Amino acid sequence: MAWVLLVLGGLFEVGFTTTLRYVDGFRNLPWTLAFLVSVALSMALLERAARTIPMGTAYAVWGGIGAIGTVVVGIAFYDEPGTTVRLLLILGIVACIAGLKLTA
């Protein structure tokens, strides 16, 4: 169950990094609220998962999910480049996350 919570926390990290681009110095209230809710849920789920999963592993996986998800959102929705090199580097992150999970 801790791994499910950790993955959900990582997805909420993607949410807060994505909404951050719209908060406009925290003047845009709906996006600011979405950002704050996403941050709170992401951190709460990370904290809960880290009660069972070693903290270093939990943080690396959570951060990796957030990084990968944010890059994917950027490529899919914001016309960021999806070059072969970027995709190979993302694959490297995925491989490292899988390795951490297998050794946890």
Side-chain angles (χ1 to χ4, degrees):
M1 187 63 173
W3 284 102
V4 172
L5 296 176
L6 186 60
V7 169
L8 284 172
L11 294 174
F12 277 106
E13 184 185 3
V14 175
F16 80 72
T17 57
T18 302
T19 58
L20 186 59
R21 72 184 304 137
Y22 298 110
V23 299
D24 189 31
F26 300 102
R27 292 184 295 267
N28 186 329
L29 187 58
W31 285 108
T32 298
L33 292 174
F35 168 77
L36 293 173
V37 167
S38 293
V39 168
L41 288 171
S42 181
M43 294 294 168
L45 290 165
L46 171 62
E47 185 277 329
R48 183 70 177 97
R51 293 179 190 177
T52 305
I53 300 168
M55 187 62 211
T57 301
Y59 182 75
V61 170
W62 174 83
I65 292 168
I68 293 164
T70 301
V71 169
V72 170
V73 166
I75 291 169
F77 298 105
Y78 299 105
D79 296 323
E80 293 180 8
T83 63
T84 302
V85 171
R86 287 186 88 192
L87 296 176
L88 287 173
L89 291 169
I90 291 169
L91 184 60
I93 294 171
V94 171
C96 290
I97 291 170
L100 284 169
K101 184 184 182 320
L102 292 172
T103 61

